[in-house]
Amino acid sequence: MKLDTTTFHLSPSQCRGSEDVNLVQLTDCHLFARSDGKLLGLETESSLRAVIEDIQQNTDFDFVLATGDLSQDASEASYQRMSQFLDLLKKPAFWTPGNHDCPQQMQNSIQGKNLFHHKRIITQYWQVILLDSSVRGKVHGFLTQDALDFLHNALNDKAELNTLLVLHHQPVQIGSAWLDNIGLKNNAEFMAVLALHSQVKGILWGHIHQEYQQNLSNMKLMSTPSTCVQFEPGSQDFEAGSQSPGYRRLCLKADGSIETEVIRIESQPFVVDYSIRGY
Ligand SMILES: [Fe+2]
């Protein structure tokens, strides 16, 4: 699929007049063609609905990032329903694919009044760049030379803007053997590009179905719980986690800092079948 290099400009008036930009990250929704589809015994659509309702009730934000594995089966129907959920949030939403997704099917089927295919978002003080780390037929991630060139050029083009990078796969080891095995394979090449550009202040991803936050030089590294099933932090083999589904809020400050928190949906039980040993 041809790389989309077009830019979406978000004006201060679209950020409620604030110098800061507030956004919401949703990740790893794993919707199925059937709306009652289950992952490890959990209905993924009903947990996503609970997350969307929490955002609607409790979060002010300017745009949405959906960071892959939006579908479990890459079906047209699953992306159409994902589109309907994203449109409920009534703010611009942007997406990047995960290992369970089909980028072409997403491009065709994620449609809605507030849904955009742009991979660069420019605001007054920030640039957000979405990268496709998915590899057809593989679970691990990889950034093609085209993707690395796109990143390098976008960073060169707006060197004066603080930058948040967004992708599906984790670009660092997280201390969980089975997940470290399916992260971004060419993370060294990715980090080599970043070493040339000091304006990168944050990297945000999904894939590992758990909260993670570390600092690396002047960057904040962040991953976010799935809107459905969680994976147990630190597990050496596949292991579902007991924590609730969730999402992440981020505030990109005018001074280049990032304030962020993970929100878990604790208002109802989410039952997972722990006897299933894979996903
Ligand atoms: Fe996932």
Side-chain angles (χ1 to χ4, degrees), residues 20 30 60 84 102 144 228:
D20 302 335
H30 290 268
D60 288 327
Q84 290 163 2
C102 170
T144 62
C228 59

Side-chain angles (χ1 to χ4, degrees), residues 28 30 68-69 99-100 168 207 209 231 279:
D28 295 271
H30 290 268
D69 281 5
N99 46 295
H100 282 274
H168 181 69
H207 191 50
H209 291 222
F231 298 152
Y279 86 114

Side-chain angles (χ1 to χ4, degrees), residues 11-31:
S11 67
S13 65
Q14 289 170 291
C15 299
R16 295 164 297 141
S18 169
E19 287 196 326
D20 302 335
V21 180
N22 288 280
L23 56 105
V24 159
Q25 180 199 10
L26 293 174
T27 196
D28 295 271
C29 308
H30 290 268
L31 295 184

Side-chain angles (χ1 to χ4, degrees), residues 16-258:
R16 295 164 297 141
S18 169
E19 287 196 326
D20 302 335
V21 180
N22 288 280
L23 56 105
V24 159
Q25 180 199 10
L26 293 174
T27 196
D28 295 271
C29 308
H30 290 268
L31 295 184
F32 292 79
R34 288 174 55 108
S35 87
D36 60 356
K38 293 179 179 175
L39 186 67
L40 276 67
L42 179 72
E43 268 191 28
T44 56
E45 183 167 319
S46 71
S47 65
L48 175 60
R49 182 174 294 109
V51 169
I52 295 283
E53 286 172 359
D54 190 278
I55 296 170
Q56 288 174 311
Q57 289 163 16
N58 300 314
T59 302
D60 288 327
F61 59 97
D62 306 309
F63 66 93
V64 181
L65 296 170
T67 55
D69 281 5
L70 305 187
S71 173
Q72 170 74 5
D73 57 16
S75 60
E76 182 179 15
S78 65
Y79 291 127
Q80 287 171 342
R81 285 207 317 290
M82 187 73 212
S83 303
Q84 290 163 2
F85 278 112
L86 289 172
D87 254 346
L88 288 173
L89 296 174
K90 296 185 167 38
K91 292 288 169 66
F94 306 87
W95 54 265
T96 195
N99 46 295
H100 282 274
D101 291 309
C102 170
Q104 189 66 60
Q105 186 67 262
M106 295 175 97
Q107 185 88 14
N108 296 341
S109 307
I110 297 185
Q111 302 287 343
K113 186 164 168 276
N114 300 306
L115 309 187
F116 299 94
H117 296 164
H118 302 74
K119 304 305 177 207
R120 290 179 72 190
I121 306 152
I122 304 277
T123 72
Q124 190 175 9
Y125 297 104
W126 282 82
Q127 173 168 221
V128 178
I129 302 171
L130 295 100
L131 298 166
D132 178 0
S133 59
S134 69
V135 184
R136 197 180 181 91
K138 302 290 184 192
V139 181
H140 70 254
F142 188 87
L143 291 170
T144 62
Q145 192 58 52
D146 278 354
L148 291 168
D149 290 346
F150 166 61
L151 171 63
H152 186 65
N153 292 336
L155 290 169
N156 267 344
D157 180 44
K158 292 289 178 191
E160 73 281 14
L161 295 180
N162 304 300
T163 303
L164 175 68
L165 303 181
V166 184
L167 72 171
H168 181 69
H169 292 84
Q170 74 274 21
V172 291
Q173 301 268 300
I174 59 157
S176 183
W178 73 280
L179 286 168
D180 285 338
N181 209 27
I182 55 171
L184 184 71
K185 287 290 181 207
N186 59 340
N187 58 339
E189 289 178 81
F190 176 62
M191 290 298 177
V193 174
L194 304 197
L196 302 172
H197 301 279
S198 61
Q199 78 266 35
V200 178
K201 301 294 168 53
I203 310 175
L204 181 67
W205 65 85
H207 191 50
I208 61 174
H209 291 222
Q210 62 193 269
E211 179 178 2
Y212 174 91
Q213 195 166 312
Q214 288 289 330
N215 292 323
L216 179 65
S217 56
N218 67 335
M219 297 185 293
K220 197 166 267 186
L221 309 181
M222 299 161 280
S223 81
T224 299
S226 162
T227 63
C228 59
V229 171
Q230 308 304 301
F231 298 152
E232 185 63 25
S235 58
Q236 296 311 298
D237 298 310
F238 172 84
E239 189 176 342
S242 58
Q243 289 186 291
S244 297
Y247 63 98
R248 182 180 286 275
R249 296 173 182 155
L250 299 103
C251 178
L252 310 181
K253 312 285 286 183
D255 66 3
S257 61
I258 299 173

